[in-house]
Amino acid sequence: MATHHSSAPIRSPDVSKDGGKIRAAHLLIKHKDSRRPSSWRENEITRTKDEAISTLLGHEARIRSGQASLGDLAMTESDCSSARKKGDLGYFGRGDMQKEFEEAAFAMKPGEVSRVVETASGVHLIERLE
């Protein structure tokens, strides 16, 4: 007869309300004035910031209406290499991300999706996962 062995439960790393690590995904649209105006999708990004915001607002509308998830859109529309992981950035703590991104991500509850967040990298929609 087989014996069952159990180990300690698997826990998320240091997820806490006092500024510990959180997990988030994002959809990034870069523009020509972004810190690095190129991506896995385009060698040279020429869209303006206003065009990037307009594109992102269209994606936001699809997410909020339930037509698509942020993760599914990120796979084909995000300019970040995290697209292959549905935009999942994994766990990060305070000071690990750009200030505007961090403030938005930490202000949300798990399951919430941000409005447009502007950083030096471009414009993002962020989904707090944990």
Side-chain angles (χ1 to χ4, degrees):
M1 204 179 229
T3 352
H4 298 284
H5 298 280
S6 61
S7 58
I10 298 171
R11 298 181 196 272
S12 299
D14 189 24
V15 177
S16 64
K17 293 179 180 157
D18 62 351
K21 292 185 182 281
I22 64 169
R23 184 171 157 230
H26 76 140
L27 193 165
L28 169 65
I29 304 295
K30 292 184 175 186
H31 51 80
K32 65 181 182 176
D33 298 318
S34 294
R35 182 172 57 182
R36 283 188 290 275
S38 65
S39 76
W40 67 274
R41 296 177 49 217
E42 297 175 75
N43 286 332
E44 182 184 355
I45 294 173
T46 58
R47 75 179 69 84
T48 66
K49 183 175 171 181
D50 287 342
E51 289 169 333
I53 291 171
S54 178
T55 298
L56 199 61
L57 288 172
H59 296 323
E60 180 184 14
R62 292 184 64 203
I63 292 165
R64 296 203 188 282
S65 73
Q67 291 178 340
S69 70
L70 183 141
D72 288 340
L73 284 174
M75 289 180 68
T76 58
E77 305 301 321
S78 182
D79 287 318
C80 181
S81 60
S82 67
R84 68 184 184 281
K85 298 179 289 182
K86 293 189 165 193
D88 191 340
L89 297 168
Y91 290 92
F92 57 89
R94 293 197 181 274
D96 292 339
M97 299 289 179
Q98 293 173 32
K99 183 177 188 272
E100 303 88 348
F101 188 99
E102 175 185 297
E103 287 175 356
F106 274 87
M108 293 186 293
K109 294 182 175 103
E112 291 183 336
V113 176
S114 71
R115 299 292 182 186
V116 174
V117 176
E118 296 181 34
T119 70
S121 297
V123 293
H124 315 250
L125 289 177
I126 305 166
E127 180 177 9
R128 170 93 179 254
L129 300 173
E130 295 180 37

